[in-house]
Amino acid sequence: MNKRIVALSVVFALAFTACTEKKETATEEPAAVEVVDKTATAVDSVPAPAEVPDKSAQLAEGTEITVKGEITEINQGKDGYTAKLKMANGTVYFATISIPNLKDPKQYRKFNVGDVIKVIGKTFKVEEDTMIKVEELY
């Protein structure tokens, strides 16, 4: 009988411990705690000047654009090449130049790094870069 009492006591203790642990883990904690900085001064409350966004980031995809810039890099592709164009104001575009995309295929020609060219085409984004599918080349 002593063994039965000890066994029942052990089972009861384990059951009680399990119930107690569940109650402790069932309490909800807030998802976020608001922290208020009460040390702010009048200088801290002046908003910082607005950052001037890159004009190329404002263009909607498919916008027709005319760009004149210096070629700073050329990446050869299958049907043509992509020229990295840097405008006078520092804005950078990537012009995809290929015969199939040009309105007049006779306009296609190779340029070199350092050449200044003018392109007309539609924009599209690739990650953070603004690309231009060139339709006219000057």
Side-chain angles (χ1 to χ4, degrees):
M1 176 135 158
N2 244 352
K3 289 182 183 179
R4 275 191 194 171
I5 294 174
V6 171
L8 286 174
S9 297
V10 170
V11 170
F12 179 76
L14 289 174
F16 180 76
T17 304
C19 289
T20 306
E21 287 176 11
K22 286 182 183 177
K23 286 181 183 177
E24 289 175 8
T25 58
T27 59
E28 290 186 29
E29 293 189 25
V33 177
E34 182 179 1
V35 177
V36 179
D37 181 10
K38 295 181 181 179
T39 62
T41 63
V43 175
D44 293 336
S45 63
V46 175
E51 212 176 294
V52 178
D54 181 4
K55 295 203 184 289
S56 65
Q58 297 174 349
L59 294 174
E61 196 153 312
T63 302
E64 187 166 294
I65 187 172
T66 301
V67 174
K68 182 178 180 181
E70 180 183 353
I71 297 175
T72 60
E73 184 180 316
I74 294 176
N75 292 314
Q76 193 62 42
K78 183 177 141 187
D79 294 334
Y81 58 97
T82 300
K84 182 177 181 181
L85 301 179
K86 185 174 183 181
M87 296 178 58
N89 66 4
T91 305
V92 174
Y93 293 96
F94 293 86
T96 302
I97 303 168
S98 66
I99 294 171
N101 292 337
L102 291 171
K103 288 180 181 177
D104 180 7
K106 293 178 184 175
Q107 285 186 331
Y108 182 84
R109 58 190 176 276
K110 295 266 186 173
F111 290 97
N112 297 310
V113 172
D115 291 343
V116 176
I117 64 171
K118 178 180 171 182
V119 298
I120 299 172
K122 292 193 171 46
T123 62
F124 64 98
K125 288 287 211 179
V126 174
E127 295 179 6
E128 298 297 318
D129 299 329
T130 301
M131 310 290 287
I132 302 171
K133 181 176 130 184
V134 177
E135 296 172 350
E136 296 180 52
L137 179 61
Y138 303 98

